[in-house]
Amino acid sequence: MSIRKLALVTGSTSGIGLEVARVLAANGLNLVLHGLEDTAAGEKLAEEFEQAYGRRPLYCQADLSQPEQIDQLMQTIEDKAGSPTILVNNAGIQHTSPTESFPANMWDKVIAINLSAAFHTSRLALPGMQAQGWGRIINISSVHGLVASVNKSAYCAAKHGLVGFTKVMALENAAQGITANCICPGWVDTPLLVEQFKAYAQDNNTSFEEAKQGLISAKTPYPDFVAPSEIGEMALFLCSDAARAINGTALPIDGGWTAQ
Ligand code: NAD
């Protein structure tokens, strides 16, 4: 049986998810784009992809903090495009605050979007991968799935949780041609970091651009951001047959952050 490769990338209307989607599309994969944007904005992006890569992706809107919307998302994909055999759980949010003042509702939201959503999409995608005897689950964790930083209790809990969850899926599905891995990026210049740049600039009385450099040098020996497309290339490699034995790992792409 030939394997039908269809990739769902969650949160693929901006930042890392968008570049992962671009790299997969540029390498001939069929895609499902997902985001919070309405159908008109999603279709505009799908049109752009069609013009750039010669295939029109399906676009689906869903709020991944709501499990019933995830059920609906996965059913819509099944009905319109078939089961995804590549699942990139990328959607995520950040909130920073000391633990004692961390708003309880933000804790719940960070865990729901960054961790529980990956459980729900995976549990719904796995039967299709098992039926095909091939699958790739790629969870975008973080260096904060491996080490901690202050003020990121919910984010670190979610990203560490994602690493553990990924290992379990890897063990459960290793004999069925399915791999599950985490990619653990360091600093990537995306909308997710804007509030942290602003806070750093204010606390240190620097410009927004100086704040970016300040945050980089506080954590990584390599003096630059990781490019979103570099994460896309790593995801592409994990989708290849050469990566069939890479399973249950948490792969840093972090400019040396976690080597210290
Ligand atoms: P981003 O803000 O550009 O992208 C986040 C995406 O998640 C957006 O497309 C957004 O629409 C989507 N999203 C947010 N809430 C959602 C919800 N309730 N339902 C559905 N989708 C939702 O930021 P990014 O940096 O590209 O983040 C992508 C992933 O990379 C996240 O999981 C993030 O934790 C991880 N990450 C980012 C960095 C970094 O430095 N930027 C580092 C390590 C890991």
Side-chain angles (χ1 to χ4, degrees), residues 11 14 16 34 62-64 90-92 113 141 155 159 185-186 188 190-192:
S14 74
I16 294 170
H34 154 267
D63 179 348
L64 300 187
N90 164 78
I113 298 167
S141 179
Y155 191 79
K159 296 299 191 183
V188 189
T190 72
L192 189 93

Side-chain angles (χ1 to χ4, degrees), residues 6-19:
L6 174 69
L8 164 61
V9 184
T10 69
S12 44
T13 54
S14 74
I16 294 170
L18 179 56
E19 288 307 311

